[in-house]
Amino acid sequence: MRLLQIFTITSLAIMLFIGCSKKSDNSKTGTFSFTKVNGKTYTATYVDAAIPSKNGTFSLQYQTNSTSTRWMFFVYVDNNNDLGLDVIGQPIVNGVSYTSNSSFGRTVSFYGKLDNESLNPSRTTLVFEKSTYPGQIVGSFTVYGSNNTIIGSGNFDFEAK
């Protein structure tokens, strides 16, 4: 009987330990995606590198000083196509919508080439939900052409290192 109690307690302790232990998932690093108005979506996975060098990856370059920040997203779609999103100016306030011609002391610019064609955006709107560097970066954006038509929209959600 005593042996059964020891076995039961040991088994419960092992199950409790296994159930409560955290497993780190290094494969889930986050994504940057952009969907053109025709419905085609391009998705890249975050890499902690100065400039991404593999197809389907992106990186973030971050610079800051006491009065301004500079966020530069580099998206490497493939050998012929890439995207960029720059946010330069005063520190970011989450939940505020910023545009290319923002009066909030910030410049937002989106640029790039997809399907071997330049996107030629004229305006970009951008909202950060989270902007802790290093840490989680979450946001969404919409890109407009010269005649105010939507070229596409995108979002990003990743853990910056």
Side-chain angles (χ1 to χ4, degrees):
M1 184 70 169
R2 179 95 172 122
L3 189 56
L4 181 62
Q5 286 177 330
I6 293 172
F7 176 76
T8 303
I9 291 172
T10 305
S11 297
L12 287 172
I14 290 170
M15 286 191 299
L16 182 63
F17 177 76
I18 291 171
C20 293
S21 66
K22 285 187 171 183
K23 294 180 182 176
S24 69
D25 181 9
N26 292 332
S27 65
K28 186 176 192 263
T29 57
T31 59
F32 183 106
S33 67
F34 181 73
T35 303
K36 289 174 66 175
V37 74
N38 68 6
K40 189 170 181 181
T41 299
Y42 303 84
T43 302
T45 303
Y46 176 72
V47 292
D48 185 20
I51 303 290
S53 59
K54 291 184 180 179
N55 290 354
T57 59
F58 81 98
S59 66
L60 171 67
Q61 294 298 308
Y62 175 84
Q63 300 169 343
T64 187
N65 63 37
S66 61
T67 59
S68 68
T69 60
R70 181 178 195 136
W71 299 63
M72 297 169 290
F73 292 84
F74 297 104
V75 183
Y76 186 60
V77 177
D78 59 36
N79 290 336
N80 297 312
N81 300 285
D82 55 11
L83 302 172
L85 176 64
D86 295 345
V87 185
I88 302 167
Q90 295 174 355
I92 292 168
V93 177
N94 295 334
V96 173
S97 179
Y98 299 105
T99 64
S100 300
N101 52 1
S102 176
S103 60
F104 292 103
R106 179 173 315 352
T107 301
V108 176
S109 61
F110 184 83
Y111 49 90
K113 188 167 93 170
L114 291 173
D115 301 322
N116 296 318
E117 290 183 31
S118 289
L119 295 175
N120 297 321
S122 65
R123 181 172 58 98
T124 303
T125 61
L126 168 67
V127 176
F128 279 90
E129 291 177 38
K130 295 181 180 179
S131 59
T132 304
Y133 187 91
Q136 188 166 15
I137 311 292
V138 180
S140 58
F141 59 96
T142 304
V143 180
Y144 299 87
S146 60
N147 55 0
N148 212 28
T149 59
I150 295 177
I151 293 174
S153 61
N155 58 61
F156 45 88
D157 184 349
F158 65 101
E159 191 78 21
K161 298 175 184 174

